[in-house]
Amino acid sequence: MERDPFVLVLVDGDGMIFDEQFLKKGEQGGKEAAGLLWGSVRDYIRRENPELPSDIRIVTRIYANLKGLSEACYKAGLVERASLIEDFARGFTGSKQLFDYIDVGSGKDRADDKLTEIFKLHLYDCHCRHIIFGCSHDNGYARLLEDLLADKPTIKRVTLLEGVPFEKELAVLKKTYETTKFNTLFRTMKINLYHPPQPPPQIQYPPPPTATRTLSIPKTSLSPMATSWASTTAMSVPAHVASPPPNPKPAPSSVTISRNKYGQRVDPQILYDKNEVNRVKKIHMCNVHYLRRDCPYGDECSHDHKYKPSNNELTTLKYVARMTPCKFGTDCDDTKCIYGHRCPLSQPGSTECYFKENCRFDLEMHGIDTNVVKTVKVGSY
């Protein structure tokens, strides 16, 4: 029982992506990253689990769709050519006997499914003394981790590894699980395939009222938004695509954007049905494909492109997409943008929010005045 103890490192490579300083070096970068990961894990185990043997073996499995990841990194400008990612994976795998960077191919949730099964397989393995789990980008893993909450001895054998900031449902679990972060090794921001639109017209607007975020739950009605919004916030886009949407096409000059007296973008309200929102989310339609018609992953996308939604389902999908904040906030000038430009749970004139300081939307995206005073024609200033 005491023979061959090991620490298992499991990483979802579609979202936990190594820093570009390693990726751009190809095979050599893979070797360097593997060496730094091995050293970081060794130091962590010695510091946090001194009861384990000092020479305990470190087994690492990284699962990713290499073709999709290669194209994403190339389009985002992280590497000079897409083939460098495969070179990186080859260097990582070849650097150490127990390190593997595994290509799962294209298909929805393939990396997720494999990681989940490997995690379950080794969780109660007497030889596996600890699991370091790299999944901070994907709320989908919260279900797996929540199932262990009643098993405190087992929870102590799991550490959550952070790359990009923990998604909301995973952040809640940080109070129960040990967490760590290996600085400079993994990216701390999702890959962004978005090319910024032209800046908004230089119109002098009065500054919006300033306020500080209030931590109390608002006394006003939460209509039309349901208070169970947290259950429907996961993006219906590939895990490796960051908001806002990738590669927007130039907007025709005849399209306008509505703005309030402060120059902040005001999108029309979408009526919704809570049960329909939950149902549509389970279909896993690709937001970018159905709402923008320009998903860069095509057939390699991990979300559904073949489903034929009704008009009502498309309207609900628009609502779901707006639960993810646009990185350009209220200044966004992209007429095709599908993401949110104000917090759906914030009332005009108030920065109070149901999710308090954990809201995904910035403070400036709360309390937005929804009265439209001007429509700006994009491309015709």
Side-chain angles (χ1 to χ4, degrees), residues 304-344:
D304 199 329
H305 283 206
K306 296 181 180 180
Y307 184 79
K308 296 182 179 180
S310 66
N311 289 336
N312 286 339
E313 287 175 325
L314 283 176
T315 299
T316 301
L317 190 64
K318 290 179 182 179
Y319 178 81
V320 172
R322 286 192 187 177
M323 293 177 180
T324 298
C326 171
K327 71 173 292 185
F328 292 97
T330 59
D331 289 333
C332 179
D333 201 32
D334 177 15
T335 58
K336 293 180 65 180
C337 184
I338 62 176
Y339 297 109
H341 302 102
R342 66 179 185 270
C343 173

Side-chain angles (χ1 to χ4, degrees), residues 19-51:
D19 192 86
E20 61 188 276
Q21 64 174 311
F22 304 110
L23 299 179
K24 65 184 180 182
K25 294 181 183 178
E27 186 168 346
Q28 181 58 35
K31 294 178 180 178
E32 293 177 8
L36 284 174
L37 179 59
W38 185 90
S40 297
V41 172
R42 178 202 59 193
D43 293 344
Y44 175 79
I45 292 298
R46 288 180 177 178
R47 182 176 66 253
E48 302 297 332
N49 301 90
E51 72 281 2

Side-chain angles (χ1 to χ4, degrees), residues 60-130:
T60 298
R61 299 286 184 268
I62 300 179
Y63 296 93
N65 171 8
L66 275 183
K67 182 177 180 181
L69 181 61
S70 298
E71 293 177 353
C73 289
Y74 174 68
K75 290 177 180 179
L78 303 184
V79 293
E80 293 181 355
R81 60 182 188 279
S83 61
L84 282 174
I85 301 302
E86 293 186 4
D87 295 341
F88 172 89
R90 183 168 53 252
F92 185 93
T93 299
S95 65
K96 294 186 178 297
Q97 295 288 343
L98 299 178
F99 275 41
D100 292 302
Y101 200 119
I102 302 164
D103 181 13
V104 300
S106 60
K108 184 173 65 176
D109 298 333
R110 285 195 175 182
D112 306 46
D113 293 342
K114 286 184 177 291
L115 275 168
T116 297
E117 292 305 313
I118 295 297
F119 181 91
K120 292 179 179 178
L121 178 66
H122 291 287
L123 186 60
Y124 298 103
D125 181 350
C126 63
H127 301 287
C128 179
R129 304 300 177 80
H130 202 84

